[in-house]
Amino acid sequence: MAIDLQQIGKRFRFYTHLNELEMEDLKAMTGSNEETLSNIINGCNIVLDELVAIVKNFPDLNPQWLIYGEGSMFKPKGENGDCHDTPKNCLKKDKAAYLQQMKNMLIELDAAEVAKGHRPDVDALMAKLEEFKAKASEAE
């Protein structure tokens, strides 16, 4: 299976947005410079060794999903002894705008996957997003 650098960038961008990670957060978490991180997010000039080194800093991120678009975005809970809770329970951003932004990114990612002739579990992600949206509405 061929690796599509642009798809890797879109998936990584989706993951970072879902977790509300800004460039400064990514630099601090990974120890990578902004150019390397920008290249990954934009899907160009990705050096596989750098990608692997960066992915190691996100224990809940499924590398199979990131690279090939297969499986779930997140590793199963407890795979590394971790219990991740994503997205964060306490969003820094306006909830409605954040959820709309995530929905738009998910639609973009879905369209790219469909165009490739391969569809990961985007429906499950959409359902999860709708669940978060419902919870946000109830909380208000």
Side-chain angles (χ1 to χ4, degrees), residues 31-125:
S32 296
N33 62 44
E34 189 166 343
E35 180 182 4
T36 299
L37 292 165
S38 290
N39 284 344
I40 291 171
I41 289 170
N42 294 315
C44 62
N45 301 323
I46 297 175
V47 176
L48 191 55
D49 291 341
E50 292 172 344
L51 179 64
V52 168
I54 287 169
V55 169
K56 287 180 181 179
N57 293 288
F58 303 98
D60 64 336
L61 178 60
N62 179 354
Q64 188 75 15
W65 174 82
L66 179 66
I67 296 170
Y68 300 108
E70 296 174 351
S72 174
M73 178 187 336
F74 300 107
K75 290 179 183 173
K77 287 184 181 183
E79 184 173 303
N80 290 332
D82 302 303
C83 182
H84 59 81
D85 188 12
T86 317
K88 296 175 182 173
N89 284 332
C90 184
L91 296 176
K92 295 182 272 186
K93 302 175 183 176
D94 171 52
K95 288 180 185 178
Y98 172 78
L99 291 171
Q100 186 59 48
Q101 178 186 21
M102 296 314 302
K103 186 174 183 177
N104 292 342
M105 290 181 73
L106 194 54
I107 289 168
E108 176 187 340
L109 188 59
D110 184 37
E113 293 295 333
V114 169
K116 265 183 22 180
H118 154 331
R119 182 178 175 94
D121 58 345
V122 174
D123 291 334
L125 290 171

